Amino acid sequence: DHTSNNNHDVISNNPTVNIFGDGHGLKLALNTAQTGRIFQDRSHIFLILPRTSEMKGKTIHNLNVRGKRGNIVQVYPAVEYDFIPNKLAMKSSELLHVQWTGSNTHKNKNKGDAGEGTDGTDRNNLIQMSDDVGKNYPLELSSASFWSNVESLTDPDADGTDIAIGLASSGYYCSAKGTKSCPAQESLSEKSKIDNKLNNAPASYFGHVLKFKGGGKMNYLCSRNNNFSNRSQKGSLWVE
């Protein structure tokens, strides 16, 4: 600011720096009208939580979502929505954190906004499919047997059905009827109906850190972003 105008460390336009000594300098292409401006603020804030006692010393795999809203041309050089990793093999002694982040104002409309649900928004969820990967269709929760093999270390009172409901609704419902970590008014039994394209669900979801009782396999998809054609948001998980 103006109080530093006599400070010799203040930068100037296109300065010549005496790199070699004796006046043999090199000029910088520096415009002081630009150095204080922010053209694209790509900074992010994230929180790293401490491990619980049950998590200490164990490998935790991160199952997340990458990509952005739009078709393959509109998102280039990024990619369309996809689970990452979309194929994961792990041991039953290891843990899995399923989570994702999204936005309600991604500002992509000028380049195209192809996708489902409200323009300018990201939504994701995770629903079990048939063991036959050729059957590109979600299972109803009553038929989704994989979740009986799963426990949550971040919501120990949640059973497999509670976990499946949270993942399928992107956290709009946090359980079937409520747990110690999920108020009953936020559960499937009491909360108002979810929008069928997840428009009223959260864009980001903390999810669960999952513990497995044994081995198993699950194919899964996102009901909103899997378009049964060129746009595919599916994945497979093998627990040994």
Side-chain angles (χ1 to χ4, degrees), residues 64 81 100-106 121-124 202-205:
N64 212 307
Y81 296 119
W100 50 77
T101 60
S103 170
N104 286 320
T105 54
H106 65 48
T121 66
D122 304 312
R123 292 293 185 274
N124 294 279
S204 300
Y205 181 44

Side-chain angles (χ1 to χ4, degrees), residues 1-228:
D1 60 28
H2 70 282
T3 60
S4 299
N5 285 345
N6 294 321
N7 186 337
H8 294 299
D9 292 328
V10 174
I11 57 176
S12 58
N13 280 321
N14 302 323
T16 298
V17 184
N18 193 17
I19 300 294
F20 304 105
D22 299 326
H24 297 279
L26 298 174
K27 181 172 285 191
L28 304 180
L30 195 160
N31 183 347
T32 58
Q34 304 294 336
T35 54
R37 297 176 63 188
I38 299 175
F39 290 90
Q40 294 185 19
D41 182 359
R42 297 186 178 182
S43 60
H44 292 76
I45 298 175
F46 62 93
L47 181 65
I48 300 177
L49 299 176
R51 292 178 178 233
T52 66
S53 58
E54 283 199 79
M55 299 176 192
K56 289 183 179 178
K58 294 186 177 181
T59 298
I60 302 178
H61 297 274
N62 183 30
L63 177 54
N64 212 307
V65 172
R66 66 173 179 170
K68 60 190 293 188
R69 184 185 178 98
N71 62 39
I72 193 171
V73 175
Q74 293 166 349
V75 303
Y76 181 83
V79 295
E80 298 171 287
Y81 296 119
D82 192 15
F83 291 105
I84 181 74
N86 54 26
K87 293 181 177 64
L88 173 62
M90 56 179 289
K91 298 178 180 178
S92 59
S93 58
E94 299 172 336
L95 306 176
L96 177 67
H97 190 182
V98 186
Q99 59 177 321
W100 50 77
T101 60
S103 170
N104 286 320
T105 54
H106 65 48
K107 308 293 186 185
N108 196 40
K109 293 183 180 181
N110 291 336
K111 293 185 178 180
D113 197 49
E116 304 299 322
T118 304
D119 289 351
T121 66
D122 304 312
R123 292 293 185 274
N124 294 279
N125 64 349
L126 188 152
I127 305 175
Q128 184 177 350
M129 296 166 51
S130 167
D131 289 340
D132 180 357
V133 292
K135 295 180 179 179
N136 186 13
Y137 207 77
L139 295 176
E140 295 183 6
L141 290 183
S142 59
S143 302
S145 58
F146 180 83
W147 303 109
S148 62
N149 194 40
V150 172
E151 298 176 355
S152 173
L153 297 187
T154 43
D155 186 358
D157 295 317
D159 62 20
T161 299
D162 295 325
I163 295 167
I165 288 171
L167 293 171
S169 67
S170 191
Y172 181 80
Y173 304 121
C174 53
S175 69
K177 297 181 179 179
T179 67
K180 289 183 179 179
S181 301
C182 168
Q185 61 266 28
E186 298 296 323
S187 70
L188 178 63
S189 63
E190 295 192 21
K191 196 171 184 180
S192 59
K193 188 176 180 180
I194 191 171
D195 181 84
N196 61 14
K197 290 195 175 180
L198 301 173
N199 289 321
N200 58 350
S204 300
Y205 181 44
F206 175 79
H208 291 271
V209 176
L210 301 178
K211 175 183 177 181
F212 298 93
K213 302 175 186 177
K217 176 188 176 182
M218 177 176 66
N219 299 316
Y220 54 89
L221 58 72
C222 171
S223 64
R224 171 157 146 162
N225 303 323
N226 186 59
N227 283 56
F228 301 91

